């Protein structure tokens, strides 16, 4: 999947159909549009409320040829509809020259096209997976609709997974531009990580918990520090896994992969998922041994490996999984240094790179290390481990 | 109703690739409606074929033209790839 780079800051969205199609009953259109939105609320906490008047987040229109946005429709066939990404307002326009139909193999299925367009309204770009709803081509009427895993991963990367807890308000907890909300930090009981905050790897579990590995120990992180009771031994938390791990990531299949030297291990939660270790050269063809860092990048859901001054993109769905054009220089990731220790797509949507006792926040849409105050890189001890009496900035005299 | 024409000529393919973000507008020369840069053209076709899961031939073969003629969403496949391509 691919993300455009913008998303809504609220999860409770409103819509209205301001111009209905010529050939369908309004009540039927309303039902199909409602079904199409429901596709995206099934696996997230997004809600969509229909309004008939007043301002709304997403306005829907059935129009023909030139209709005021400079992107004229072309009659039957060709372009069926288009929609604007959240940053451009989220509106969806349908070409009313099409023969829009409901539950019929004739014409063009309104539900399928609307569900696709609303994906754009929510921030998704076109996917190169032909099975995905967000693939750009209309593939004919499908009597049984099922959202592809690629689409699910895409929408959840923007709006999170569905929770069963009632939401306190309409307000989406807007992604903090600084990592944790900074209340007085708790000092980890074992503060060795504060004295030497260089870590081996960081990763999120399938449940969204963040772990830092260092030597033979691991730390479970809270939003601003280390959870009480940590560090613990890696051998206790992930039986069978050695210490001094090079890199780790959790893939969209919910499994966590750990890399060390020439070998890798796969875990489902805290249980080894088969007979491991295996050789990296066998399971990850095209990826070198002795890695520095690995992550699943939120920009496209693909796996990135880093070593020295180079990086590799790994796509398990492709043959070969690593294109011939790799490795490429890490300098392509503007502002990210060579010889990384760890890389992480954090639960707030940002990508973070760690090197030594510092970390960098990467702006996926701008393809560069973020500009903020204090500037990046920042000290990992202060911002990730909640260490007291450690500087919050790497700038000289700016503690 | 007006019927969208299938993509069958180089000019139509050029417009298609331009419309959906594979070909920067600056690659087209309005003076002769031709392409100034052959490698840009080749790269655009290859990018489309790669994205669409076709054999990457770099040529406007039947399979490629057929896919270009399918009804589709009007949003660009390559977002942010106008005249100013992002670094990566």
């Amino acid at each position: 999947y691919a993300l455009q780079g913008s998303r809504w800051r609220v999860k409770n969205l409103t819509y209205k159909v301001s111009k209905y199609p010529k050939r369908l009953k309004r009540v039927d259109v309303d039902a199909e549009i409602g079904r199409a939105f429901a596709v995206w609320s099934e696996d997230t906490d997004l809600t969509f409320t229909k309004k008939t008047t007043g301002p709304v987040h997403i306005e829907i229109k059935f129009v023909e040829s030139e209709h005021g946005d400079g992107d004229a429709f072309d009659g039957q066939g060709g372009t069926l509809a288009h929609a604007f990404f959240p940053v451009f307002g989220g509106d969806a326009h349908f070409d009313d020259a099409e023969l829009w139909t409901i539950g019929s193999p004739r014409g063009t299925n309104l539900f399928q096209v609307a569900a696709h367009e609303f994906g754009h309204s929510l921030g998704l770009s076109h996917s190169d997976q032909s099975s995905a709803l967000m693939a750009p081509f209309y593939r004919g009427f499908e009597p049984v609709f099922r959202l592809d895993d690629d689409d699910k991963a895409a929408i959840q990367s923007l709006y999170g997974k569905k929770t069963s807890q009632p939401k306190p308000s309409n307000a989406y907890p807007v992604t903090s531009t600084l990592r944790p909300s900074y209340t007085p930090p708790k000092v980890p009981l074992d503060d060795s990580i504060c004295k030497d905050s260089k870590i081996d790897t960081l990763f999120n579990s399938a449940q969204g918990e963040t772990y830092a590995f260092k030597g033979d120990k691991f730390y479970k992180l809270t939003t601003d520090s280390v959870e009480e009771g940590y560090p613990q031994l890696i051998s206790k938390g992930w039986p069978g896994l050695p210490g001094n791990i090079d890199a780790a990531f959790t893939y969209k299949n919910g499994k966590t992969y750990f890399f060390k030297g020439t070998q890798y291990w796969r875990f489902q939660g805290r249980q080894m998922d088969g007979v491991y270790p295996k050789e990296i050269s066998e399971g990850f063809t095209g990826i070198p041994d002795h890695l520095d860092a690995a992550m699943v990048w939120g920009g496209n859901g693909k796996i990135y490996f880093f070593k020295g001054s180079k990086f590799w993109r790994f796509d398990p769905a492709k043959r070969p999984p690593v294109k011939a054009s790799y490795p490429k220089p890490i300098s392509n990731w503007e502002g990210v240094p060579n010889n990384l220790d760890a890389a992480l797509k954090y639960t707030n949507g940002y990508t973070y790179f760690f090197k030594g006792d510092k970390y960098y926040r990467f702006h996926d849409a701008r393809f560069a290390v973020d500009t903020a105050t204090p500037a990046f890189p920042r000290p990992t001890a202060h911002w990730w481990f909640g260490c007291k009496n450690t500087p919050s900035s790497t700038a000289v005299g700016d503690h | 109703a007006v019927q969208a024409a299938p993509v069958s000529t180089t000019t139509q393919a050029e417009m298609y690739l331009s419309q959906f973000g594979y070909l920067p507008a600056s690659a087209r020369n309005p003076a002769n409606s031709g392409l100034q840069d052959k490698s840009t053209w080749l790269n655009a076709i290859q990018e489309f074929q790669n994205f669409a899961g076709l054999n990457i031939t770099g040529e406007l073969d039947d399979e490629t033209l057929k896919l270009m003629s399918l009804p589709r969403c009007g949003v660009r496949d390559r977002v942010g790839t106008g005249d100013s391509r992002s670094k990566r």
Side-chain angles (χ1 to χ4, degrees), chain B residues 20 28 43 59 62-63 87:
Chain B
F20 296 112
R28 300 186 69 198
N43 192 44
E59 286 173 16
D62 289 346
E63 199 186 14
K87 193 170 178 182

Side-chain angles (χ1 to χ4, degrees), chain A residues 73-318:
Chain A
F73 284 130
D74 54 3
Q76 214 172 83
T79 299
L80 305 173
H82 55 228
F84 295 87
F85 297 115
V87 69
F88 302 120
D91 292 351
H93 300 162
F94 297 82
D95 186 353
D96 206 19
E98 307 297 338
L99 179 63
W100 295 110
T101 54
I102 295 168
S104 161
R106 285 183 63 234
T108 307
N109 184 261
L110 175 58
F111 160 74
Q112 287 169 222
V113 175
H116 173 101
E117 295 308 324
F118 298 154
H120 292 312
S121 302
L122 295 170
L124 307 189
S125 282
H126 283 150
S127 170
D128 64 1
Q129 303 296 303
S130 58
S131 58
L133 173 65
M134 292 315 294
F137 307 103
Y138 179 68
R139 51 183 170 224
F141 173 56
E142 290 174 332
V144 180
F145 178 83
R146 189 178 167 275
L147 191 63
D148 196 84
D149 286 344
D150 184 67
D151 303 302
K152 272 187 206 173
I155 198 71
Q156 288 179 339
S157 75
L158 286 180
Y159 300 99
K161 290 182 179 174
K162 198 174 191 70
T163 63
S164 49
Q165 291 168 346
K167 289 177 288 296
S169 73
N170 279 3
Y172 180 68
V174 175
T175 302
S176 171
T177 53
L178 305 176
R179 186 196 156 244
S181 57
Y182 198 60
T183 46
K186 284 179 275 182
V187 184
L189 287 176
D190 174 347
D191 69 347
S192 57
I193 195 126
C194 295
K195 291 171 186 146
D196 174 13
S197 58
K198 180 180 163 72
I199 37 118
D200 294 337
T201 189
L202 268 163
F203 65 95
N204 292 318
S205 70
Q207 288 71 39
E209 297 148 337
T210 307
Y211 293 98
F213 277 30
K214 183 178 174 68
D216 60 355
K217 297 188 180 111
F218 75 97
Y219 300 76
K220 186 177 178 189
L221 304 187
T222 65
T223 53
D224 59 5
S225 59
V226 175
E227 197 165 293
E228 265 185 51
Y230 290 87
Q232 293 181 6
L233 287 172
I234 291 173
S235 56
K236 191 180 155 202
W238 283 265
L241 190 66
N244 299 306
I245 291 290
D246 292 334
F249 64 84
T250 299
Y251 196 51
K252 58 188 178 186
N253 58 7
K255 297 174 197 284
T256 305
Y257 296 77
F258 297 94
F259 299 81
K260 180 181 178 177
T262 63
Q263 297 175 316
Y264 77 99
W265 290 254
R266 190 176 75 191
F267 276 73
Q268 176 81 52
R270 298 295 187 96
Q271 274 201 324
M272 206 180 284
D273 192 33
V275 182
Y276 288 91
K278 291 181 179 170
E279 292 298 308
I280 294 175
S281 57
E282 288 169 18
F284 290 84
T285 311
I287 299 301
D289 297 333
H290 300 283
L291 291 160
D292 289 341
M295 66 159 177
V296 177
W297 187 49
N300 56 12
K302 298 190 196 310
I303 306 161
Y304 286 78
F305 292 93
F306 300 83
K307 180 179 178 176
S309 61
K310 299 187 176 76
F311 75 96
W312 291 254
R313 190 180 80 174
F314 188 91
D315 184 350
K318 295 272 168 67

